């Protein structure tokens, strides 16, 4: 079900199917999946988080992804490992330190390297919110993504003139009865 919703959203947001619009880049922002309860400073994923990571990979099956970016945090890396394995791609790591100029430069570099393609960016809500601001996404969508925490996906169509159209998705796993 999530796969169908994600594919419909990619099409509805105008994700280029061909090279007709090379200036449009699709950014798929993924909040790191649910972490385990642990006194560790950098915990891994809970059982639900592992399910969310697997669901993300199956949801994006068949989607051409140019790059998968993640922060160094254990739960962010574990969130996109199934996706990187499914697409046989290495992970590209990035680090943000709270500096708005560095955040802007990091996002611009990602977009420049992958202009007209689809990329996945996984991190914690604070980093994603900062990157969304620099991508041109405004308002409630950022607050909702931040407040909801793990298991949230936001598809952003970014054009070369710093305008963005965003569509929020929820990849929470339905519990089997």
């Amino acid at each position: 079900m999530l796969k169908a919703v994600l594919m419909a959203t990619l099409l509805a947001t105008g994700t280029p199917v061909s090279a007709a619009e090379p200036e449009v880049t699709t950014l798929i922002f993924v909040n790191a999946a649910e972490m385990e309860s642990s006194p560790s400073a950098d915990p891994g994923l809970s059982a639900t988080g592992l399910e969310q990571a697997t669901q993300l990979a199956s949801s994006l099956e068949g989607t051409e992804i140019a790059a998968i970016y993640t922060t160094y945090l254990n739960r962010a890396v574990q969130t996109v490992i199934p996706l990187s394995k499914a697409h046989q791609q290495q992970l590209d790591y990035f680090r943000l330190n709270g500096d708005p100029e560095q955040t802007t430069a990091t996002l611009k570099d990602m977009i420049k390297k992958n202009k007209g393609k689809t990329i996945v960016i996984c991190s914690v809500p604070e980093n994603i919110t900062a990157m969304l601001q620099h991508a041109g996404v405004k308002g409630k969508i950022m607050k909702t993504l931040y407040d909801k925490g793990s298991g949230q996906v936001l598809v952003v169509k970014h054009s070369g003139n710093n305008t963005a159209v965003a569509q929020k998705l929820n990849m929470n796993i339905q519990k089997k009865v």
Side-chain angles (χ1 to χ4, degrees), residues 22-171:
E23 73 280 4
V24 176
T25 304
T26 301
L27 313 167
I28 301 174
F29 288 96
V30 179
N31 271 356
E34 183 181 281
M35 67 182 160
E36 64 186 350
S37 299
S38 168
S40 167
D42 189 14
L45 297 182
S46 67
T48 299
L50 292 170
E51 288 179 41
Q52 289 172 333
T54 301
Q55 181 67 32
L56 174 67
S58 66
S59 296
L60 292 174
E61 183 182 329
T63 302
E64 192 171 321
I65 298 172
I68 303 169
Y69 293 94
T70 183
T71 55
Y72 290 90
L73 289 172
N74 197 15
R75 71 183 203 146
V77 172
Q78 288 181 6
T79 299
V80 290
I81 282 177
L83 180 64
S84 75
K85 287 180 180 177
H87 282 80
Q88 299 178 347
Q89 285 183 291
Q90 291 185 348
L91 298 176
D92 290 310
Y93 294 91
F94 69 95
R95 187 180 314 261
L96 297 178
N97 62 9
D99 176 14
E101 289 180 18
Q102 187 231 6
T103 301
T104 298
T106 299
L107 185 62
K108 281 184 178 180
D109 186 52
M110 289 176 185
I111 293 169
K112 182 179 177 183
K113 287 181 181 176
N114 300 286
K115 192 171 185 176
K117 299 177 182 172
T118 298
I119 62 174
V120 173
I121 302 169
C122 182
S123 189
V124 292
E126 298 87 354
N127 289 341
I128 291 175
T129 301
M131 294 180 91
L132 288 171
Q133 288 173 335
H134 297 286
V137 176
K138 303 203 182 332
K140 284 185 177 179
I141 252 190
M142 288 191 307
K143 183 174 177 9
T144 302
L145 188 70
Y146 184 89
D147 289 346
K148 296 286 184 183
S150 66
Q152 300 295 312
V153 177
L154 184 68
V155 179
V156 177
K157 177 185 161 191
H158 185 273
S159 57
N161 59 0
N162 269 351
T163 58
V165 176
Q167 173 68 44
K168 184 177 76 84
L169 302 174
N170 183 341
M171 67 178 206

